[in-house]
Each structure stands twice: as structure tokens, then as C-alpha cells.
Amino acid sequence: MASLGMEAEQEPLLGDRTPGSREWDIIETEEHFKSRWRSIRILYLTMFLSSVGFSIVIMSIWPYLQKIDQTADASFLGWVIASFSLGQMVASPVFGLWSNYRPRKEPLIISLSISVAANCLYAYVHVPASHNKYYMLVARGLLGFGAGNVAVIRSYIAGATSLQERTSSMANTSACQALGFILGPVFQTCFALIGEKGVTWDTIKLQINMYTAPVLLGAFLGVLNIILILILLREHHVDDSGRQCKNVNFEEASTDEVQVLQGNIDQVAVVATNIVFFVILFIFALFETIVTPLTMDMYAWTREQAVLYDGIILAALGVEALIIFMGIKLLSKKIGERAILLGGFIVVWVGFFILLPWGNHFPKIQWEDLHNNSIPNTTFGEIIITLWKSPKEDHNEGPTGCPIGQAWCFYTPMIHLAQFLTSAVLIGIGYPSCNVMSYTLYSKILGPKPQGVYMGWLTASGSAARILGPVFISQVYTSWGPRWAFSLVCGIVMLTIILLGVVYRRLVAFSVRHGRIQE
């Protein structure tokens, strides 16, 4: 058993654990204890680097696409953005299945190698004489395919932690992922100082500029991550009480290992949790998408103002999410994961309900017929353009306000700024709570058996949500306005709350369900 002096190593990286929370009758050598948590922390780093790799170029894709291929339009931009999630959706079950039957180093190293290759391809998409936009599409798709290792990471952490350690470990995983999404655009901003021209290494035809430097950093960090996994990662698998279990992934047998508890997984709970995870990612993806068009239409913000103010708002939500992740670990010990999940959805519902337009004040109408990049129009890509389009490209900002082409602008009351900010804060509380609790409960429902395939399907459902959310909100918002859009979202969330109420008693840990551990 690990000595009391080692207790600090078991504490989460982002918070303290309650003394005595661990079952001290568990047989675990000090060496095994150190190795287990060292491996888990390596995967925290892998999750962080994966999210950085996604977000570090997200603000520069559109101008870079325009630079390398003049034939690229907003519709194609939508495919480039969606290709990451499509690649991840396809790869997640594949890597998950692989990790169930082979050492998890294999899918992790292969997926990271694919990500490194994708970043290198992205840095060279300017070289071909034609069809450059398709090379970028392939590069982003391959990067998403490599990001399918998220399923392996969650499966590993779920299998290497006891029930009492699970919530904290999953919260740390989400915190690392959120931190990567926050810092990625920050790194991109720093690289913007290099400029578009940058420097060129003629021998290997490599341009190092504001567009390629971030992906080259991503490739370097990927190689470093591969080295750390090769050197430090070890296979560990414990049951819900924390005792070592025999597993196909485990490299060395031990006389202290116990057999994995036999029993059937509650498939109803599994399907319900996948639906819940899909919904929470769906509604946050659509919220992120609609923030800029909504604020420009309602408050007559220019592109420059929208990019600045909305960027600050989304960054603040990221910081809020980190705080929530840390607080959840303490709160879950008092009221449990199910209550937090249900409460999180109720908070999200309140947030979108507050967004419903009311009153007698109407938004300013944009009378002049102009091409306003703030409007979702007919393609997902056109929604995203405003995030990259610099006002410096057009010194004449033109009229601002709600476009005349959107008929609802004439009869739909405006959403007051206080409404919007209050809603953003509430959604910023509910989303991280539901996010981490959904796959924490999911991992507990699955039990100590290999979870790779199941985690792969969960990750795939999240990827599908990130694709469909922006498409849904763009069509509904443009055609019918915020009243219908947010009413439908409220309806979706309410149905999810009802679903949670129906399956609430089934969302229990595998060992609790089979009577081995008391809840």
C-alpha cells in the first residue's frame, strides 16, 4: 500500500482531495501507485496538446485559405471547418476498438503520428500549383482523425482510476482540454507578429509565417508527446475499488491482480448518456456559432467590435469553465454526479429561456443592401467568416444592424445586452458541469471492462453534435429569427431533462448496480 506520504501524488492537479477519501485497504505498491498517476498525467498533457492543435489555427484558416487558393469560397470553408469533426467522428470508434485489444500505446502513437503528419501537410499546402484548398481540407481532416485518440485517453483514465478517483480525474481531463482551447488562439495571436511574409527556407520550400508557424509548433509538440508516451506511459487497469485487474492491455501479470467483475452493462443507460452528451455539445456548438451574428444584428456592432467583444466574452466563458471544473470535484462529493448533471441542464435551459426576445424595443434595421458577413445566410462557412474577416480589409464598414433580408427583424423584439450577458454566464456554468458529469457517469456505468469502443462512440456523438449544431442554428436563425431558434433549443433541453428524469435511477456505477459497492 502506498505510504501516507504519497497521498499528495494522488491529489488532483487542479485541486485538493478530502483526506481519507481513498480506500486504504487497497493493495498497491508505491511503485505501481507512482507509475499509474504518472501515466494519467501524461494523458492529461496529451488531451491539452490535442485541443491546442485544433484551436491554434482556427482564427487564421479563412485568410490562409483565401491566400493559397482564390477559388475557395465560404461554402468550402464550411467543409474545411467540419472536416476536423468528421475525421474525429470516424476515427474515435476505430481507435477505441484498437485500444480494447492491444496496448494503448499503439493507437496513441499512431494517432499522434497522423496529427504530426497533418500539421506538416498544412504547412505545405501552398506548394502545389493548383487545388490547394483540397490539400487543406485533407490536412484538417487528418488532424481530426488523429484527434480520435480522445476516446483512448478517456478509456485509459476511466480504467486506471477507482470510482472515488474518477470524477476528479475526468474533471482534470476536461480542464486540460478547456485550457488548450483557450490558449490555442493566444498562441495564434503571438505568431501573428511574424506576419504573412515571414521567412522562407528555400531548400525544403518551407514558409514560416503567421499561418504555418502554429502548425509547425503543433508538429513539434506532437513529436515531444510521442517521446513522453514511449518512455513514461505504462498500462494500468483497476476495478471500481482500485485493485489491479487483469487486462489484455496489461503488460505484466501480478499475483495481486483480481479478475474483472462480470455482469451486463446497462445498455439503456449507455444510450441515454450518449444522447445527453450529444445534446450538451450540440447546444454549446450552436451557441458559439450564433454569438457573433446575434450581437451584430441586435446591437449594430461592426465586424471589428463583434470580433473584439465576442472574443472577450468567449474567453471569459473559458475561464469560467476552468473554475467550474475545479468546483465540480468538491460539489460531486456532496450531492453526486447525477444531481450535478440534471442541475446543469436546468441552468442551461434557464440561460436559453432568458435569451427569448421580449419587450417593445426592436433592433436597428440595416436598410442598405450589402453583403454582410455577420449573417449566417445559407452555408455554415459564411457564419464563420466574420471570425477571420478583418475590418482592415474594408475601411468602409457600411451600415450596421439587423439586415433587411431577414424578415423577422421587423417584428421580433431585440435581445437586451443584459439578457445576453446573463444568458452567457448561465450557459457557461451549465455546459462544463454537464460535459464532465456526462462522461464521468458514462465511464462508471461501463464499469471495469475495456471501454475503448464505448468511449469511441461517445466521442463520435460529440463530433456529430459539433457538425450539426452550427448547421441547425444557422438555418433556423436566418429564416425564423432568435425567438424560434431559442424556443426550439429550450424544447430540446427540456426533452433531455425529461430523459434524465426517466433514466435517473439507472445512471449508477457498474459495481453499484451489481451490488459489489454501496452507492
Side-chain angles (χ1 to χ4, degrees):
M1 182 176 70
S3 65
L4 292 176
M6 294 300 299
E7 183 181 359
E9 283 211 33
Q10 190 178 0
E11 293 179 1
L13 294 178
L14 304 179
D16 297 327
R17 290 180 65 89
T18 303
S21 63
R22 185 168 179 264
E23 292 181 51
W24 293 104
D25 60 334
I26 295 174
I27 299 174
E28 183 179 41
T29 65
E30 183 172 316
E31 180 182 358
H32 179 273
F33 174 75
K34 287 183 176 180
S35 175
R36 183 164 65 94
W37 282 95
R38 186 186 303 119
S39 298
I40 290 172
R41 287 163 182 161
I42 289 296
L43 295 185
Y44 288 163
L45 176 64
T46 303
M47 182 68 88
F48 169 76
L49 294 179
S50 176
S51 60
V52 168
F54 169 78
S55 62
I56 197 170
V57 297
I58 199 68
M59 298 300 291
S60 64
I61 289 178
W62 176 238
Y64 191 36
L65 183 61
Q66 288 181 308
K67 179 181 179 181
I68 63 172
D69 196 328
Q70 297 298 320
T71 65
D73 57 12
S75 178
F76 192 83
L77 171 65
W79 283 106
V80 173
I81 298 298
S83 64
F84 182 94
S85 295
L86 285 171
Q88 189 179 47
M89 185 171 62
V90 172
S92 296
V94 175
F95 287 132
L97 180 63
W98 188 351
S99 70
N100 273 5
Y101 297 100
R102 297 288 301 169
R104 281 164 285 199
K105 276 187 179 181
E106 293 180 7
L108 284 172
I109 291 173
I110 294 300
S111 62
L112 287 171
S113 299
I114 292 173
S115 296
V116 170
N119 279 322
C120 292
L121 174 61
Y122 189 95
Y124 278 95
V125 294
H126 65 280
V127 174
S130 61
H131 304 299
N132 304 77
K133 63 182 182 181
Y134 296 108
Y135 288 98
M136 178 179 283
L137 179 70
V138 172
R140 289 297 293 177
L142 284 175
L143 190 64
F145 194 90
N149 60 19
V150 170
V152 182
I153 294 171
R154 288 174 177 164
S155 173
Y156 183 99
I157 294 175
T161 53
S162 67
L163 282 183
Q164 292 188 5
E165 298 166 332
R166 190 78 47 79
T167 301
S168 178
S169 298
M170 289 298 185
N172 285 344
T173 305
S174 292
C176 290
Q177 188 176 35
L179 187 62
F181 284 130
I182 294 171
L183 293 182
V186 175
F187 294 149
Q188 169 71 78
T189 302
C190 295
F191 284 121
L193 299 174
I194 300 176
E196 280 196 339
K197 186 176 181 181
V199 295
T200 302
W201 191 350
D202 293 325
T203 306
I204 58 176
K205 297 183 179 180
L206 177 64
Q207 291 183 0
I208 303 177
N209 53 35
M210 62 185 288
Y211 304 124
T212 61
V215 294
L216 293 174
L217 174 63
F220 171 77
L221 293 176
V223 172
L224 180 63
N225 200 358
I226 291 173
I227 294 172
L228 289 174
I229 287 175
L230 284 170
I231 296 174
L232 299 176
L233 187 71
R234 297 292 181 268
E235 296 290 344
H236 293 286
H237 190 71
V238 299
D239 66 8
D240 285 348
S241 296
R243 296 179 177 86
Q244 295 183 53
C245 293
K246 288 185 178 180
N247 184 15
V248 67
N249 308 103
F250 206 79
E251 295 167 338
E252 298 178 359
S254 170
T255 56
D256 294 331
E257 293 172 348
V258 298
Q259 295 292 337
V260 174
L261 180 64
Q262 298 300 314
N264 296 323
I265 296 172
D266 188 345
Q267 297 297 334
V268 173
V270 168
V271 173
T273 311
N274 270 279
I275 294 173
V276 166
F277 190 70
F278 174 89
V279 170
I280 190 61
L281 266 69
F282 177 86
I283 59 179
F284 192 73
L286 66 84
F287 179 75
E288 283 186 312
T289 300
I290 205 61
V291 162
T292 299
L294 179 69
T295 53
M296 293 184 73
D297 292 346
M298 291 292 155
Y299 314 125
W301 287 353
T302 63
R303 288 193 299 269
E304 182 178 25
Q305 290 173 323
V307 170
L308 174 62
Y309 299 154
D310 293 335
I312 293 172
I313 290 169
L314 291 177
L317 291 183
V319 175
E320 182 185 14
L322 288 177
I323 297 172
I324 296 298
F325 287 137
M326 290 186 284
I328 277 176
K329 295 186 291 186
L330 300 176
L331 186 61
S332 64
K333 297 174 184 177
K334 298 183 181 297
I335 65 174
E337 290 92 350
R338 292 180 298 178
I340 294 177
L341 179 60
L342 183 58
F345 268 102
I346 292 173
V347 171
V348 169
W349 183 88
V350 173
F352 278 102
F353 183 79
I354 289 175
L355 268 182
L356 294 176
W358 58 275
N360 298 318
H361 297 282
F362 296 88
K364 174 187 172 184
I365 301 299
Q366 182 188 124
W367 289 103
E368 184 174 334
D369 183 18
L370 76 159
H371 181 68
N372 188 337
N373 286 299
S374 74
I375 309 172
N377 292 325
T378 58
T379 66
F380 171 40
E382 289 173 336
I383 311 170
I384 308 299
I385 289 178
T386 188
L387 298 177
W388 294 280
K389 184 123 177 124
S390 171
K392 295 179 181 177
E393 297 174 11
D394 184 5
H395 295 286
N396 181 17
E397 283 287 345
T400 58
C402 201
I404 191 173
Q406 297 177 162
W408 55 263
C409 294
F410 292 96
Y411 58 81
T412 302
M414 71 176 294
I415 298 171
H416 298 277
L417 185 59
Q419 278 180 266
F420 173 72
L421 294 177
T422 303
S423 172
V425 170
L426 291 175
I427 294 171
I429 293 172
Y431 166 72
S433 304
C434 295
N435 181 281
V436 68
M437 287 300 106
S438 56
Y439 64 75
T440 297
L441 281 169
Y442 190 68
S443 68
K444 292 185 176 183
I445 291 167
L446 297 177
K449 298 179 181 180
Q451 300 183 5
V453 173
Y454 283 102
M455 284 294 181
W457 288 118
L458 187 74
T459 305
S461 69
S463 300
R466 288 196 297 270
I467 296 170
L468 296 176
V471 174
F472 167 83
I473 197 66
S474 65
Q475 297 300 319
V476 177
Y477 178 83
T478 305
S479 302
W480 299 334
R483 175 172 287 163
W484 272 101
F486 299 137
S487 293
L488 289 174
V489 173
C490 285
I492 292 171
V493 177
M494 181 56 67
L495 289 175
T496 308
I497 292 173
I498 294 172
L499 173 65
L500 280 174
V502 171
V503 300
Y504 191 85
R505 293 184 178 275
R506 305 185 76 141
L507 302 180
V508 295
F510 182 92
S511 296
V512 173
R513 179 169 173 260
H514 289 279
R516 185 173 179 180
I517 295 177
Q518 294 296 320
E519 188 172 12

